[in-house]
Each structure stands twice: as structure tokens, then as C-alpha cells.
């Protein structure tokens, strides 16, 4: 229903622009050209803004459920081969760094769990 209301409001706005244009310049051709130009230029940016708003809406839930193990790596998505050459796994390199940066000294809490908690606690609140 929200999509219908949005389309209705956009349509009414275009109609108002055409009516003002025709009243001002006395020609439907100018109004039609304006509508065609607006219809050609508006949908792309509007789609990008909707996608951005959707991503912002989903971000708190994604951060609240963040887990390093679930993060996607480009190298894994191409089976560690780029241009016919084997590449090292990003996940292994990043895991080693995180293990040095987030070492807790507590054997019950792994560095990766400490990192997951850090992301959920500090990035999830903004």
C-alpha cells in the first residue's frame, strides 16, 4: 500500500508540473518534454535512495547478529583463484590479526568471540 501511495503522489506531482508548464507557456509539447525528461532521470536515483534506506534499516539487526565466521570473503567466493593464480585466503590472514588484537588472556573467551562482542557492542549502537 505504501508503494501505491508513493506512486500516486509522484504522479500527482508530475501532473501539477505539466499543468503549470502548459498554463505558463501555452503548449502541451513543452509539458510532455518535461515529463519525459523527469521520467527518464528520476527512477534511477529514487531506486538508489530506496536501496540505501533499506540497507540502513537492516543494519542494526545485522550488527546485532554479527559473527566473524559468517562474514563473506571475496577470495572464498572465487575458490581462491584469480586470473588463473591461486591466492591466499583473506579469512586466514584477518583471523590471525584479530587473534593478536583481541587476545583476552581468558581461555574461556576466544579472541574471535571477543571481536564479535566488540562489533556488536560498539558498532551496533550507532
Amino acid at each position: 500500500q505504501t508503494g501505491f501511495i508513493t506512486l500516486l503522489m509522484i504522479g500527482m506531482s508530475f501532473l501539477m508540473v505539466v499543468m503549470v508548464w502548459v498554463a505558463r507557456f501555452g503548449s502541451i509539447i513543452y509539458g510532455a518534454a518535461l515529463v519525459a525528461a523527469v521520467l527518464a532521470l528520476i527512477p534511477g536515483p529514487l531506486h538508489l535512495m530506496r536501496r540505501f534506506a533499506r540497507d540502513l534499516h537492516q543494519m542494526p539487526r545485522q550488527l546485532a547478529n554479527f559473527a566473524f565466521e559468517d562474514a563473506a570473503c571475496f577470495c572464498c567466493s572465487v575458490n581462491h583463484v584469480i586470473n588463473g593464480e591461486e591466492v591466499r585466503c583473506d579469512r586466514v590472514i584477518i583471523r590471525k590479526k584479530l587473534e593478536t588484537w583481541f587476545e583476552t588472556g581468558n581461555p574461556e573467551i576466544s579472541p574471535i568471540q571477543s571481536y564479535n562482542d566488540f562489533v556488536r557492542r560498539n558498532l551496533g549502537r550507532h
Side-chain angles (χ1 to χ4, degrees), residues 28-92:
I28 192 78
I29 304 250
Y30 292 120
L34 179 65
V35 168
V38 168
L39 287 175
L41 297 175
I42 295 295
L46 186 61
H47 175 70
L48 291 175
M49 289 188 309
R50 287 181 56 227
R51 185 186 307 174
F52 181 69
R54 183 198 64 213
D55 291 347
L56 282 178
H57 181 72
Q58 292 176 350
M59 190 177 296
R61 180 185 47 80
Q62 291 173 341
L63 287 172
N65 298 318
F66 177 82
F68 173 77
E69 296 80 12
D70 297 336
C73 293
F74 174 74
C75 62
C76 296
S77 70
V78 295
N79 294 322
H80 301 101
V81 177
I82 299 176
N83 295 330
E85 294 187 29
E86 190 172 335
V87 295
R88 293 182 0 177
C89 184
D90 294 341
R91 186 181 304 277
V92 172

Side-chain angles (χ1 to χ4, degrees), residues 2 9 19 28 40-41 43 45 86 90 108 118 123 125-126:
T2 305
M9 292 183 68
M19 289 170 51
I28 192 78
L41 297 175
E86 190 172 335
D90 294 341
E108 294 180 16
F118 174 81
L123 299 179
R125 67 179 172 173
H126 294 292

